[in-house]
Amino acid sequence: MIDLWFVIIAFLWTGYFVLEGFDFGVGMLAPVVSRSPAEQRQSLETIGPVWDGNEVWLITAVGAMFAAFPAWYAGVFSAFYLPVTLVLVGLIVRGVGLEWRGKVADPRWCDLGIMVGSGLPAFLWGAVFADLVYDSAPAALLGGAFTLAVCALHGAVFLALKTTGPVRRRARVAAMAASGVAIPVAVFALSNLGTFPALAAMAALAAATALIWRRREGWAFAATAGAIVLAALAVFMELRQQPLPGLTLAEAASGAYTLTMLSWIGLITLPFVLVYQGWTYWVFRKRVRVAPSDVQAAASA
């Protein structure tokens, strides 16, 4: 049961990083790839139907840690109280920006909040998990730089996959630029792990760069998602040995009865969550285009 729930928690965190990763990237890059209010709306509409659902993975991952490994949960969120608080502030600011930008006369402050509220969690989550693995401040900064760059690349590829016209072209350029940062940072951040998933994550980032160059956005997005999955797998393989200094999984785990009850609850609810999210992405699978009214307004301005 202990190993099972560690795998479930790793799965939930990995799903969060893959799905929120492109949310963060789009939020950071939307002002970069957009040249007009219509293009900014086009960029943000790519994540509009899914960003809040993607955050559910974070809530579920943290809740599962609290229930299955309370000592691990307490140790992590007390040791990293400040960065986790800043993550929550960033998520709140981003959410407010996304919800309010269509309801205010001047959305520039909302766009700034979306950009900062996306970049801050993208950096801080990498710093937290790198510090858990390496227990080093320089390594934490490197881990934050890694997740920030990879989220930017992931989001740029997602924008290229989900948009048309000038935004799509600029997103491809942004993806190439982000890969120029993400790949060398990944080499420094993951090479010390020396495991197959870490090495494969670097290869997946290189493959994503080649694919976006060839305008194969779908495969490029699969490659960036795969890189995040592999990097997360490498991290959780390290945490499996010792989730916190001086603490083993067995010492951090809840009792057998609690883990058994959690297993039944997860067996019943998790498939419904996965099916619902899969259905959401299927419904909103088409590319987002600039509305005809926005094109006419831009032409007459």
Side-chain angles (χ1 to χ4, degrees):
M1 283 294 181
I2 292 174
D3 287 334
L4 171 64
W5 272 96
F6 181 79
V7 170
I8 291 173
I9 290 169
F11 169 77
L12 293 171
W13 276 109
T14 301
Y16 171 70
F17 291 139
V18 170
L19 298 176
E20 277 280 80
F22 69 74
D23 282 353
F24 292 151
V26 170
M28 289 186 287
L29 293 175
V32 177
V33 301
S34 305
R35 299 290 184 271
S36 67
E39 290 182 350
Q40 179 76 356
R41 283 195 297 274
Q42 181 190 17
S43 298
L44 294 178
E45 282 176 9
T46 62
I47 61 172
V50 298
W51 69 268
D52 48 355
N54 293 342
E55 287 187 352
V56 172
W57 287 76
L58 173 62
I59 298 170
T60 309
V62 172
M65 283 182 67
F66 173 76
F69 299 100
W72 187 22
Y73 166 89
V76 169
F77 288 96
S78 59
F80 298 100
Y81 181 82
L82 179 58
V84 170
T85 300
L86 291 175
V87 165
L88 294 177
V89 171
L91 293 177
I92 291 170
V93 170
R94 183 187 68 150
V96 170
L98 287 167
E99 292 292 343
W100 284 13
R101 76 173 311 276
K103 303 177 177 65
V104 296
D106 185 359
R108 287 178 296 178
W109 289 106
C110 293
D111 293 336
L112 178 62
I114 294 168
M115 184 169 63
V116 174
S118 298
L120 193 62
F123 176 84
L124 289 173
W125 281 130
V128 166
F129 277 90
D131 195 86
L132 282 173
V133 172
Y134 294 112
D135 192 21
S136 164
L141 294 175
L142 184 60
F146 168 72
T147 51
L148 187 67
V150 171
C151 285
L153 173 58
H154 196 37
V157 173
F158 184 75
L159 276 170
L161 176 65
K162 291 288 291 180
T163 58
T164 61
V167 171
R168 182 185 179 189
R169 292 194 294 271
R170 297 186 202 113
R172 284 201 297 264
V173 174
M176 295 300 299
S179 68
V181 178
I183 293 175
V185 172
V187 171
F188 286 105
L190 298 176
S191 58
N192 287 337
L193 294 176
T195 59
F196 173 77
L199 299 174
M202 298 182 230
L205 290 175
T209 305
L211 288 163
I212 197 68
W213 177 262
R214 297 183 61 187
R215 302 187 179 187
R216 303 294 296 273
E217 291 100 343
W219 285 107
F221 182 73
T224 55
I228 295 172
V229 170
L230 290 164
L233 177 59
V235 168
F236 279 99
M237 284 173 62
E238 291 294 316
L239 294 178
R240 171 65 184 84
Q241 308 303 318
Q242 194 175 60
L244 284 173
L247 183 71
T248 66
L249 277 181
E251 294 168 339
S254 295
Y257 178 78
T258 300
L259 294 177
T260 301
M261 292 302 298
L262 286 174
S263 299
W264 280 108
I265 294 171
L267 182 66
I268 294 171
T269 60
L270 189 58
F272 288 100
V273 174
L274 295 176
V275 169
Y276 172 76
Q277 274 219 299
W279 176 79
T280 302
Y281 279 95
W282 175 256
V283 169
F284 296 101
R285 66 189 182 277
K286 294 183 179 179
R287 291 183 183 270
V288 178
R289 305 175 186 273
V290 176
S293 58
D294 289 331
V295 175
Q296 293 171 4
S300 60

